[in-house]
Amino acid sequence: MELFLRNLPANTSETELSEFFEPLLRQFGLDSYRCNILKGKGLATLTVADKGAGEAFLKTYCHHQRKIPLILKGQMLNCSKSTNQPNNWKIEALKKQQKERLRDGFKPQAGRSHESKSPRKFYFTNLECGLWDYEKGRLAFFPEYQDHRPGTIEFCPKDITISILESRKPTTRINIALGTITNICIDDHSEISIVLALAEAPKIYESLEDDLANLVKSLGISFPTTKGPNWKRIAHLGASHSQVISTCLVYRLVLLNSSAFRHIFALRNEIPTIIPFANLLGRSLIPHSDAMAALGTDLAKKYTQLPFQLKFLLQRLASNAILTPARVVALIPRILDILKKHGGVIAAESLKKLIRRIPYAGPYTEAKSLEIKTLLTSLEESKDLALNSPFSEFDKRSQYDHMGLVYKATVTPSGIYYYGPDYEVKNRILRKYSDYLSCFLRVSFLEENGGSIFFDSDASQDYIFSTRFRDLLGGFINIAGNGYQFLGFSHSSLRSSTCWFMSPFILNERLMWSESVIADLGDFTNIRIPAKCAARIGQAFSETFSAVPIPEGAMRVIEDVKFENRVFSDGVGTLSLELMKKLWKGGVRNKSSISPTLFQIRFAGAKGMISYDSRLTGETLLLRPSMIKFEGSKARDIEICGAAYRPLPMFLNRQLIKILEDLGIDGAVFEQLQESAVEKLRMTTLSGVNAAYFLEKNGIGGSARLPALLRALDRLGFSFQADEFLRHTTEMATLISLREIKYRSRILVEKGVTLYGIMDETGYLEEGKVFCKTFSEPEGNRVLTGEVLITRCPALHPGDVQKVAAVDVPADSPLHQLFNCIVFSQKGKRDLPSMLSGGDLDGDLYNIIYDERFLPTVFYSPADYPRATPIDIGRPVERKDMYEFFLKFMESDQLGRIATLHQVIADQSHYGTRDERCLILADMHSTAVDFSKTGIPIDHKRLPKHDNLRPDFMANGPRIDIVRGVSFEELSSQQNPYLEGENRVSRYYESQKILGVLYRAIDEREIFESIRKTTALSAARESRGILRPVWEYVLEKAQGIQWANYIEWATGIKELYDEDLLDIMNQYSIHFTRPLNELEVVVGCIIGKYGRQTKRQREESIAMKDKYEDLVSYVNKCIARGPGGEEEMLPRSMACFYLGLQEDEKPEKFKIGIRSYAWVAGATCLKSLDSFINVYPFTTWS
């Protein structure tokens, strides 16, 4: 039932209206309701799920028969039954909310007055921004910025909102997410104050409301309003605040009322970080902003003898608020001494090790921990560690030509933060200028929490993009005297808001700066489209893990295969056997024994796929015009981006499931598939063999040999569940997979595969036919035949899924020399890849399903969107044009928003993805995908109108805690439901489509708890764990082996592993005070807060996993190639395993917290022992 409200006071928010009606509605048992204000009209709607209770409310408060007046802010409201039918989805959302509250034991308290609730909003008289430091051994707050405007602080379920008032109206708003607060200190001594210590700068907004319009409306005069946000995002509270906001992360507010202390302290059950603490005030001798500026000047001019790597690390200490500038300066003399005595590598390693050891100033840190004497001692210990280790952190990857030190910066609305330098995969530019890596800076433009800055309907982001970010893109980032200027970006980095800057350097007596570096890449003068030019230049910024030179004359250009305006060979070429062998030998790095026959490459101005053609002789590379994007490049290396090493698994996702449902696939098929996947997860921890298979299939712990280790332990009679680390690793990997199924519908299709696509060079395949061959170990070769379903992600249009015939080719066909690819026909009027979400052959992956249950009886014509005409500026593209496009893309990219809206409408509409609005969104999605090449953004006016009601399968899940093992965080369903405004849980309704059915079929708590009970029962049988018994087994089988001689050497191996692992935990965390958990690194997955990862977390997880795999591979290589040669492999590995055992058996307070090393070393030791006794009771240890 919907009620209509008139005569709302001006500036009334939905939260205020909800709070007003809450006690009134509860008198009638109405606990689930929804208020919606019609902006600028003084009108609102009130929707309730129970029509009978709504009628009873009307009899009491209806304006025609009013018994009790409705007075809000001194103004009488008129309430009547709406003439409109209520939104069905809104009613369903309210019913869902009511059901969940009853399930969780929520009991509405009829007649409870609004005034009886404990207050959550408090007035303050002034606000200060500063930092924690110590004065005479006591913690004190040092203010660096003061704002004497009064305001309010409000404790909401997800954040704290600070509103600064002018003329009693909020003109500035500061939002602080609860998860970013390290501690909240409240004090009731000399004055009532509250101090908030943050891990990141807060979000700040400025009101956009028109004072004149509000005055006219308050007088009851109709005033035309324009739609738009009420707030705009700003970077700081003023010029002086801008100097300290990024490094002073502590805020102090002086509260007005003495009762505030008691009420805030009462919230500590909801917000555990609240503690009573005497907030002493300190005073800085030198303003923090002046000290920061002086440090930058000194690093640039005074300490010229410092290598840039050390300057960068020192600047990072201050800019990232790890140490105050004064403390950084105090370290420099000792750094210079280490540099003089031991060289730059040891000095840099000492400083990096020190950064991890520095505590964060605050109530839980003693003053002594941050005294200069303590810091110098810690630096000395770090230096000793670096000196005593036989493995250098900065030169250990010098053996890998494809790796280089990358310096990184993150620009946020409030500041610039520095990270690294870290070893990462090079691109063409870094490879070309490998002696000048410190002159290149990878810069990301992100939110304060490390995520992307998304569209916000309530707040304009114009200032952040048009002023804050543009000023930096068009100017310089100065680091210790090096001025970095915008250079360019790759296609993938564009989507992650990341680009490259560079500082000038001299090469062969020539000044190299951004324009000259770009000019040396090739000739771009004839490209007049900024987006296209940037994309072409961006090819040089693609990460390539190898570069193999080919002789002059090896490359030839052949014609594309076309029909009218269709290019069937778009992005694909071929190579000969001799050249392919050169790639195998010279650069294709792979941990398996498979030598691929397809490669994704960059070569000079070309990009795309090349496949082996057995008909070619000599060293031959054949490229096509569709692959060549620019001319004039002098590069002669084939740079490898990827290769077809193995067939990739095929997973369903929500977009594909919805299309298949709309094509008539029975929902029971998806349910069976999901049930099968969940049942396999339940069985994962039943045995070591099951767990090993699961880890192997999910690519977890391969380099660490965890799957082989679990099989070995199982055969030796040891239960892996008895070891805490192995148990938690498998539990976490299982939970991640379960959440992927529940929150992303990522369900494995056993009869499915994901492969690179190429064209049939032989011309054998007819239209509508494909050749699909896979090879993997130990399965061997397989050729698919019969009808198969084919698609490509992302699929939004119902025609993005097609049926084709998979056929075999003659035995002597060159196509049989290829594997792990799908070969498309070159015949017909339109190429098949372009029918699948606008695909091509330059590296796109295609999904093939050969399960008959997924073959629909009806199909739809594929979309054929007209190509947008790119923006031609009529002149050569300049650097400014490219960074302006980069900025425009950041601000206008709407891919995620379009996909989300498509999912909502497809669920609500009877026609699903065939709904006219979904077809419009699919068209817009195609435009948004091409935006990076055309420079043409979507037309926002075409976006279908919608509300914020979503199906339940899009809701967030409970947070999980992995501090000790894996568990769910309990969230109270009774926590101030009326305060959430537009974020109320009532915006989700129970979807009756298959995605809703699948979502509700999984009770993740029940499933995970049953898995944990299984492992707990097994663990109980092994009371002392299994590390010690395994070590005793090794000693028994290796009697007489002199392993103790290698303890000192093995100590260096363990220190290398521990230090690098801690580095990875810090590098991929949001803030240095909150490093990732060791389990996240080992499993290779950064845990999402609420059920699902963000896109950035998924991308970072891949990079983190690769980095950990590299670390473990390097450690294993060090053990294998250590002193004594191959004959001493066993004693070396035993010494390493022993040290891991010793660490594990230390009392808890003496452990450094790294638990994985014992089993990384243990797996290597068992493999060596296996070879030593010449018995092979285990599976392959590869």
Side-chain angles (χ1 to χ4, degrees):
M1 180 179 185
E2 186 174 90
L3 308 180
F4 194 62
L5 305 173
R6 297 180 177 83
N7 200 35
L8 252 69
N11 302 319
T12 300
S13 68
E14 288 184 356
T15 297
E16 290 174 321
L17 197 59
S18 296
E19 291 180 9
F20 172 76
F21 275 108
E22 188 221 6
L24 305 178
L25 292 171
R26 280 194 173 171
Q27 296 175 21
F28 302 88
L30 288 168
D31 181 64
S32 295
Y33 58 93
R34 180 68 181 273
C35 295
N36 286 100
I37 291 177
L38 306 181
K39 188 177 176 182
K41 297 182 179 180
L43 307 173
T45 60
L46 174 63
T47 308
V48 297
D50 188 330
K51 184 176 180 181
E55 295 281 4
F57 176 82
L58 273 177
K59 288 180 181 179
T60 304
Y61 294 103
C62 180
H63 75 287
H64 292 302
Q65 345 171 352
R66 185 181 296 111
K67 296 178 181 178
I68 304 174
L70 295 172
I71 308 294
L72 176 61
K73 295 183 179 180
Q75 197 163 311
M76 186 178 296
L77 303 182
N78 290 331
C79 174
S80 61
K81 185 177 180 180
S82 174
T83 57
N84 297 324
Q85 287 297 315
N87 183 313
N88 286 335
W89 302 113
K90 192 180 292 185
I91 296 295
E92 290 301 315
L94 293 173
K95 288 179 179 178
K96 177 179 180 294
Q97 182 186 39
Q98 185 68 22
K99 182 194 295 186
E100 289 177 347
R101 289 183 172 182
L102 292 174
R103 179 198 66 197
D104 295 341
F106 183 86
K107 296 180 180 179
Q109 301 173 24
R112 190 181 74 162
S113 68
H114 175 63
E115 289 74 16
S116 65
K117 294 195 291 283
S118 178
R120 305 176 71 91
K121 181 187 288 187
F122 310 95
Y123 285 88
F124 63 83
T125 57
N126 63 287
L127 172 149
E128 297 169 320
C129 171
L131 47 89
W132 285 126
D133 210 335
Y134 300 89
E135 196 170 72
K136 297 180 179 179
R138 298 183 66 186
L139 182 67
F141 171 76
F142 287 73
E144 296 291 341
Y145 165 82
Q146 294 185 330
D147 193 319
H148 296 289
R149 292 174 292 175
T152 63
I153 176 171
E154 183 175 9
F155 292 81
C156 301
K158 295 180 181 178
D159 61 20
I160 288 176
T161 301
I162 297 172
S163 300
I164 295 176
L165 307 177
E166 294 182 24
S167 302
R168 298 186 177 182
K169 291 187 301 184
T171 57
T172 305
R173 192 181 84 219
I174 303 172
N175 275 32
I176 303 171
L178 290 181
T180 68
I181 301 174
T182 57
N183 50 70
I184 302 174
C185 299
I186 53 174
D187 183 17
D188 65 346
H189 289 81
S190 57
E191 55 186 359
I192 310 298
S193 64
I194 180 170
V195 175
L196 310 169
L198 316 180
E200 65 192 42
K203 295 181 181 179
I204 305 177
Y205 302 87
E206 188 174 82
S207 175
L208 287 174
E209 290 196 358
D210 189 318
D211 290 339
L212 177 60
N214 288 332
L215 175 62
V216 172
K217 282 189 288 184
S218 69
L219 296 173
I221 302 172
S222 177
F223 191 86
T225 59
T226 56
K227 291 186 177 180
N230 293 322
W231 298 87
K232 76 170 180 178
R233 180 86 177 270
I234 56 177
H236 46 76
L237 295 171
S240 57
H241 188 228
S242 70
Q243 302 297 311
V244 299
I245 183 173
S246 63
T247 51
C248 294
L249 301 176
V250 185
Y251 287 78
R252 179 176 181 267
L253 294 86
V254 178
L255 302 176
L256 186 62
N257 299 318
S258 58
S259 61
F261 178 89
R262 173 171 51 87
H263 291 306
I264 293 174
F265 191 66
L267 297 173
R268 68 189 182 280
N269 290 331
E270 293 178 24
I271 310 173
T273 52
I274 296 177
I275 57 172
F277 194 85
N279 296 327
L280 301 177
L281 290 177
R283 178 171 294 181
S284 303
L285 296 177
I286 302 174
H288 184 75
S289 56
D290 291 350
M292 287 291 293
L295 174 63
T297 301
D298 286 350
L299 289 175
K301 298 179 179 179
K302 183 177 178 180
Y303 299 108
T304 54
Q305 66 272 51
L306 283 173
F308 179 76
Q309 188 169 281
L310 293 175
K311 292 182 179 182
F312 183 88
L313 290 168
L314 290 167
Q315 185 69 60
R316 174 182 161 187
L317 278 169
S319 295
N320 294 17
I322 300 171
L323 285 179
T324 60
R327 289 187 175 90
V328 174
V329 170
L331 294 176
I332 293 178
R334 183 62 188 125
I335 294 290
L336 287 168
D337 186 47
I338 296 173
L339 174 66
K340 184 178 179 181
K341 292 180 180 178
H342 306 290
V345 169
I346 295 298
E349 288 187 12
S350 303
L351 203 44
K352 285 198 79 173
K353 293 177 190 296
L354 173 69
I355 289 174
R356 288 196 301 269
R357 294 162 171 254
I358 298 171
Y360 191 61
Y364 303 109
T365 301
E366 294 182 3
K368 185 179 180 181
S369 301
L370 286 165
E371 289 177 356
I372 301 301
K373 182 180 178 180
T374 305
L375 293 173
L376 290 172
T377 300
S378 188
L379 176 61
E380 194 68 20
E381 293 170 352
S382 300
K383 182 261 298 179
D384 291 341
L385 278 173
L387 277 174
N388 294 331
S389 173
F391 311 100
S392 166
E393 181 179 341
F394 280 94
D395 68 8
K396 70 172 184 284
R397 290 185 176 88
S398 59
Q399 59 184 297
Y400 299 141
D401 294 336
H402 70 299
M403 304 287 283
L405 277 176
V406 175
Y407 295 79
K408 292 169 280 190
T410 296
V411 177
T412 72
S414 71
I416 305 177
Y417 305 93
Y418 303 108
Y419 302 95
D422 298 300
Y423 277 93
E424 298 190 10
V425 177
K426 292 178 183 176
N427 54 45
R428 184 180 300 178
I429 289 177
L430 296 187
R431 191 174 284 113
K432 183 175 182 179
Y433 303 108
S434 57
D435 292 334
Y436 301 90
L437 294 182
S438 63
C439 295
F440 296 92
L441 183 71
R442 195 169 73 195
V443 184
S444 300
F445 291 79
L446 301 172
E447 188 54 89
E448 303 296 343
N449 63 4
S452 299
I453 296 181
F454 291 113
F455 169 81
D456 185 347
S457 60
D458 291 330
S460 165
Q461 307 280 5
D462 287 351
Y463 174 82
I464 301 302
F465 289 110
S466 302
T467 302
R468 167 71 180 154
F469 288 172
R470 175 177 279 120
D471 288 350
L472 280 165
L473 283 165
F476 292 87
I477 295 178
N478 292 301
I479 308 173
N482 278 23
Y484 292 86
Q485 189 179 34
F486 175 83
L487 179 62
F489 49 85
S490 68
H491 181 263
S492 60
S493 73
L494 173 63
R495 295 207 175 276
S496 60
S497 304
T498 298
C499 60
W500 287 90
F501 279 45
M502 71 163 288
S503 64
F505 57 91
I506 302 294
L507 176 64
N508 299 328
E509 300 183 352
R510 178 188 173 198
L511 176 64
M512 301 298 296
W513 55 307
S514 57
E515 275 77 357
S516 54
V517 167
I518 296 299
D520 280 0
L521 292 175
D523 182 11
F524 306 98
T525 55
N526 62 339
I527 304 177
R528 307 300 177 94
I529 301 162
K532 185 177 180 180
C533 185
R536 301 300 177 245
I537 293 171
Q539 290 175 213
F541 295 103
S542 297
E543 291 184 352
T544 50
F545 56 82
S546 70
V548 181
I550 65 170
E552 196 75 33
M555 190 277 285
R556 301 200 313 269
V557 178
I558 60 174
E559 290 300 315
D560 272 305
V561 178
K562 297 181 180 180
F563 178 82
E564 295 181 348
N565 64 336
R566 302 288 184 184
V567 182
F568 284 69
S569 57
D570 189 5
V572 65
T574 57
L575 81 164
S576 64
L577 176 61
E578 194 170 335
L579 188 55
M580 184 166 65
K581 286 181 177 179
K582 197 169 185 178
L583 296 187
W584 292 343
K585 183 179 179 181
V588 180
R589 298 175 182 274
N590 182 32
K591 292 163 188 169
S592 79
S593 58
I594 296 175
S595 299
T597 56
L598 286 87
F599 309 87
Q600 187 179 19
I601 68 158
R602 302 288 184 267
F603 177 79
K607 66 186 284 284
M609 294 293 296
I610 54 174
S611 62
Y612 168 49
D613 188 339
S614 59
R615 298 170 298 181
L616 299 178
T617 58
E619 291 190 19
T620 305
L621 173 66
L622 300 183
L623 303 180
R624 289 189 163 93
S626 62
M627 302 176 71
I628 300 170
K629 307 302 181 181
F630 62 89
E631 302 289 348
S633 174
K634 298 175 184 177
R636 304 307 305 167
D637 293 346
I638 295 180
E639 298 167 299
I640 309 294
C641 302
Y645 295 114
R646 60 188 176 90
L648 301 173
M650 194 270 151
F651 291 93
L652 295 176
N653 57 46
R654 286 180 172 167
Q655 293 166 333
L656 181 55
I657 289 173
K658 188 71 193 77
I659 290 176
L660 291 174
E661 180 186 33
D662 294 340
L663 293 179
I665 301 300
D666 190 346
V669 174
F670 302 105
E671 292 181 75
Q672 291 164 10
L673 209 62
Q674 178 170 283
E675 287 169 8
S676 174
V678 171
E679 186 57 33
K680 286 177 181 176
L681 289 180
R682 288 182 184 273
M683 296 174 64
T684 294
T685 56
L686 291 179
S687 71
V689 173
N690 287 1
Y693 177 79
F694 172 76
L695 294 180
E696 214 161 46
K697 289 288 282 186
N698 287 274
I700 296 171
S703 292
R705 303 191 180 102
L706 285 183
L709 171 70
L710 294 180
R711 290 190 181 98
L713 293 175
D714 190 73
R715 290 180 180 239
L716 289 171
F718 295 114
S719 172
F720 81 90
Q721 298 98 328
D723 181 80
E724 187 179 72
F725 167 73
L726 295 178
R727 184 172 71 250
H728 288 164
T729 298
T730 52
E731 285 177 355
M732 181 169 166
T734 304
L735 179 59
I736 289 168
S737 293
L738 180 64
R739 298 195 123 200
E740 287 282 281
I741 295 172
K742 182 174 176 67
Y743 296 104
R744 293 181 63 205
S745 297
R746 191 171 185 267
I747 305 169
L748 177 68
V749 181
E750 294 285 355
K751 293 184 177 181
V753 67
T754 301
L755 301 169
Y756 283 114
I758 59 171
M759 187 193 72
D760 172 20
E761 299 286 346
T762 68
Y764 176 83
L765 296 173
E766 297 297 329
E767 181 180 6
K769 302 293 193 289
V770 297
F771 174 69
C772 187
K773 183 177 179 180
T774 62
F775 175 81
S776 60
E777 296 174 333
E779 287 82 4
N781 286 311
R782 176 174 184 175
V783 176
L784 290 182
T785 56
E787 290 187 329
V788 299
L789 205 68
I790 184 167
T791 186
R792 191 181 75 92
C793 292
L796 277 75
H797 190 281
D800 288 338
V801 176
Q802 294 294 318
K803 181 173 67 175
V804 294
V807 299
D808 201 352
V809 296
D812 60 350
S813 171
L815 298 183
H816 268 299
Q817 304 299 316
L818 306 174
F819 52 84
N820 297 335
C821 63
I822 180 166
V823 184
F824 294 101
S825 169
Q826 58 171 268
K827 301 175 181 179
K829 294 183 178 180
R830 182 179 177 185
D831 58 305
L832 180 58
S834 71
M835 303 182 197
L836 308 172
S837 305
D840 55 33
L841 302 177
D842 70 352
D844 286 359
L845 291 168
Y846 294 86
N847 306 118
I848 301 99
I849 300 177
Y850 48 95
D851 187 331
E852 292 181 356
R853 296 175 299 171
F854 284 96
L855 288 176
T857 56
V858 59
F859 287 90
Y860 291 89
S861 298
D864 191 7
Y865 306 119
R867 290 186 179 273
T869 304
I871 300 172
D872 189 326
I873 59 175
R875 57 170 174 78
V877 176
E878 299 173 355
R879 189 177 65 89
K880 182 181 179 182
D881 299 317
M882 288 190 291
Y883 75 66
E884 286 288 352
F885 170 68
F886 180 82
L887 188 69
K888 180 182 178 183
F889 187 89
M890 275 197 296
E891 191 172 10
S892 306
D893 184 27
Q894 298 289 315
L895 266 177
R897 185 183 177 198
I898 292 169
T900 297
L901 183 54
H902 181 277
Q903 208 167 94
V904 172
I905 293 175
D907 185 78
Q908 294 180 359
S909 171
H910 172 72
Y911 300 100
T913 55
R914 294 172 287 120
D915 187 287
E916 186 63 32
R917 294 167 296 170
C918 283
L919 296 178
I920 290 172
L921 287 168
D923 183 4
M924 295 179 70
H925 193 272
S926 176
T927 301
V929 168
D930 291 340
F931 179 25
S932 60
K933 301 171 187 175
T934 64
I936 300 174
I938 64 165
D939 179 1
H940 289 265
K941 295 177 182 176
R942 295 186 67 203
L943 279 170
K945 292 183 179 180
H946 65 286
D947 51 36
N948 60 356
L949 296 165
R950 295 183 177 185
D952 54 351
F953 59 79
M954 297 180 76
N956 289 323
R959 293 181 63 161
I960 61 175
D961 179 24
I962 52 174
V963 175
R964 289 290 293 174
V966 186
S967 62
F968 290 95
E969 286 189 7
E970 295 297 330
L971 297 176
S972 172
S973 62
Q974 302 185 33
Q975 188 184 59
N976 302 290
Y978 61 87
L979 279 177
E980 295 189 46
E982 291 191 356
N983 292 319
R984 293 168 62 96
V985 292
S986 62
R987 63 177 177 171
Y988 296 104
Y989 60 85
E990 287 191 357
S991 167
Q992 300 307 307
K993 304 286 179 69
I994 186 58
L995 287 172
V997 173
L998 294 174
Y999 171 79
R1000 292 188 295 276
I1002 293 180
D1003 183 340
E1004 60 181 319
R1005 290 176 184 266
E1006 181 276 323
I1007 295 170
F1008 184 64
E1009 285 307 314
S1010 70
I1011 291 172
R1012 290 190 66 180
K1013 285 178 183 176
T1014 301
T1015 56
L1017 287 172
S1018 299
R1021 292 193 288 268
E1022 299 274 1
S1023 58
R1024 66 170 184 156
I1026 58 171
L1027 260 178
R1028 172 60 65 175
V1030 171
W1031 172 246
E1032 291 170 356
Y1033 165 80
V1034 171
L1035 288 179
E1036 178 188 344
K1037 296 294 183 182
Q1039 292 183 33
I1041 296 295
Q1042 302 300 309
W1043 57 271
N1045 299 335
Y1046 289 99
I1047 288 293
E1048 185 176 347
W1049 173 87
T1051 300
I1053 293 279
K1054 183 178 183 303
E1055 287 173 352
L1056 163 73
Y1057 179 88
D1058 292 347
E1059 292 288 325
D1060 272 28
L1061 183 60
L1062 289 169
D1063 250 357
I1064 296 171
M1065 290 162 63
N1066 279 279
Q1067 180 183 345
Y1068 293 95
S1069 66
I1070 292 176
H1071 192 264
F1072 77 93
T1073 62
R1074 298 179 176 185
L1076 296 178
N1077 186 280
E1078 181 184 12
L1079 285 176
E1080 290 177 274
V1081 177
V1082 174
V1083 174
C1085 180
I1086 300 169
I1087 296 297
K1089 282 186 177 181
Y1090 300 102
R1092 57 173 64 85
Q1093 289 179 307
T1094 64
K1095 180 184 176 184
R1096 178 168 289 276
Q1097 284 175 325
R1098 286 197 294 274
E1099 292 170 349
E1100 293 277 271
S1101 292
I1102 294 170
M1104 177 186 72
K1105 183 177 181 180
D1106 289 343
K1107 194 151 193 171
Y1108 179 68
E1109 293 282 304
D1110 284 345
L1111 167 62
V1112 175
S1113 296
Y1114 182 75
V1115 165
N1116 287 334
K1117 191 178 292 184
C1118 289
I1119 297 174
R1121 300 177 182 179
E1126 189 175 346
E1127 301 78 29
E1128 293 293 287
M1129 172 73 170
L1130 177 58
R1132 289 195 303 270
S1133 64
M1134 288 177 67
C1136 292
F1137 186 23
Y1138 174 76
L1139 289 178
L1141 172 69
Q1142 293 296 102
E1143 178 69 31
D1144 189 76
E1145 292 183 344
K1146 285 180 182 177
E1148 200 65 37
K1149 65 179 180 179
F1150 295 117
K1151 291 182 180 180
I1152 64 169
I1154 301 299
R1155 312 179 72 89
S1156 56
Y1157 177 75
W1159 285 117
V1160 170
T1164 301
C1165 181
L1166 286 175
K1167 179 178 182 292
S1168 303
L1169 180 65
D1170 200 23
S1171 300
F1172 173 75
I1173 60 179
N1174 201 28
V1175 176
Y1176 300 91
F1178 318 138
T1179 54
T1180 304
W1181 281 95
S1182 61

